[in-house]
Amino acid sequence: MIVDWQGVYPAVTTQFNEDESINFETTKAMINSLIEEGVHGIIVLGTVGENCALRAEEKRQVLSAAKEVVAGRVPLLAGVAETTTALAVEFVQDAEQLGAEGFMVLPGMVYRSTEREAIYHYQQVARATSLPIMIYNNPITYGVDVSIEGMRTLATEPNIVSVKEATEDTRRISELISAFGERFVIFGGVDDVALESLMLGATGWISGLTNVFPRESVAIYKLAQQGRFAEATEIWRWFLPLLRLDTVPTLVQCIKYAEQLAGRGSEKTRSPRLSLTDSEKAYVSRLYDEAMTNRIDLTKYNLD
C-alpha cells in the first residue's frame, strides 16, 4: 500500500465549552484555519486531542465534524487510543465508515504492554481495516518500544505503512531507513527534535505546537526538504523554547493555553486535566510573548 503522507501534520486539539462539552464549531474553525495556513494533513483524536477523555460516541462525532471541514483538502487521520484491542478494532471499523483516511494507532491504553503484546495489538487493528496505519512508537510515554526487529514483523502487514517515531532518539530514524529503505513513511513525533528528524530523512512532522504557529512549522519543513538547513535552523531556534512544551506532562494544557494566547482556541481541558497554575501560565505566556516579539518575517525565504 502506497500513501502520499508527507509534511506537517498537526495533532489538533479538541475544543471544549466551560461545562466540558465539546465545542464542535470552534474545533472545526481551528482545523480550517490550520489547513488555510498550509499544513499538509490533519490528525484528530491524538493525545493533544484528549482522545482518552472522550466517550466512544464523542470520538466518532469529532471525526465526523473534522471530515466535514477538511472536505478532502488534506489527508485526515484519526488517532486510535483504546483500552483493549477489541475496542480499537471496533473504532477503526466505525471510523472507516465515517470517512477517516488512515489511522495513527497507539498501544492499548492503561495496561502497559510488552513489545509482543503491542505488536499483536497493531496487527489486529491493521487486519480490521483496509485503510493505511501509522504506528505511534512512544516508549517514554507508553512504556513499550517497538524495536527494529518488531518492525520487521509489522512490515509483513501490507497496510502498516508509517511510523510516528517518538523515542526522542534520532538514531532510530537512521536505523529504520537502513533496515527498511522506503518501506515505511517516517514522521518525527517529538516537537523539539523535529528538525533533526527531517534532516535525517523523516518525510513528515507530527506536531502539537503547530496548532499555535502553523506557518512557521510549514516553513521549517519546506526549507529542510530543500536542503536549506541554515535558514530552517534560524526559524527553529526561534521556535525551540515553545517546542519544549511538547515534552512535559502538561503538554496538552500548555498547547491549549498557547492556542488561547494566540486567539486560536480555548485553554479548557477535560478533567482530570486541570488548567495550568498561575505560575505555569506565566511561564507559557513569557515564551509566547518572546516568540511574538522576535517573530521572523517568513517572506524573506521566498517559499510560496
Side-chain angles (χ1 to χ4, degrees), residues 210-245:
T210 291
N211 288 292
V212 185
F213 287 106
R215 294 185 190 278
E216 285 81 358
S217 301
V218 170
I220 289 168
Y221 169 78
K222 287 182 176 180
L223 290 167
Q225 291 303 106
Q226 294 173 22
R228 296 162 63 184
F229 295 123
E231 294 164 288
T233 300
E234 181 181 20
I235 308 172
W236 179 255
R237 288 176 177 160
W238 164 86
F239 206 177
L240 186 57
L242 278 167
L243 295 174
R244 296 283 194 199
L245 298 175

Side-chain angles (χ1 to χ4, degrees), residues 161-206:
V161 300
S162 181
V163 184
K164 177 184 177 182
E165 184 47 61
T167 60
E168 297 189 2
D169 181 353
T170 53
R171 290 172 295 188
R172 184 62 65 86
I173 304 291
S174 295
E175 290 169 352
L176 285 165
I177 293 171
S178 295
F180 302 107
E182 298 181 354
R183 170 63 181 82
F184 294 111
V185 175
I186 302 170
F187 279 80
V190 183
D191 273 356
D192 65 355
V193 292
L195 179 56
E196 292 93 328
S197 298
L198 293 170
M199 288 176 169
L200 289 168
T203 59
W205 171 18
I206 296 174

Side-chain angles (χ1 to χ4, degrees), residues 15 28 80 86 142 155 199 202 208 278:
Q15 293 291 305
K28 290 195 292 185
V80 182
Y142 301 117
M199 288 176 169
D278 288 345

Side-chain angles (χ1 to χ4, degrees), residues 25 49 76 82-83 112 115 135 155 178 231 235 253 275-276:
E25 290 309 309
L76 172 62
E82 304 297 331
T83 55
R112 180 169 291 190
E115 184 181 15
I135 299 303
S178 295
E231 294 164 288
I235 308 172
Q253 292 96 316
S275 296
L276 299 175

Side-chain angles (χ1 to χ4, degrees), residues 239-283:
F239 206 177
L240 186 57
L242 278 167
L243 295 174
R244 296 283 194 199
L245 298 175
D246 183 58
T247 63
V248 299
T250 54
L251 79 158
V252 177
Q253 292 96 316
C254 288
I255 291 168
K256 294 187 93 169
Y257 184 58
E259 278 185 298
Q260 179 168 297
L261 292 172
R264 305 180 69 92
S266 166
E267 69 168 312
K268 185 67 178 177
T269 51
R270 184 171 277 183
S271 52
R273 284 189 176 94
L274 298 178
S275 296
L276 299 175
T277 65
D278 288 345
S279 62
E280 290 169 331
K281 285 184 178 181
Y283 177 68

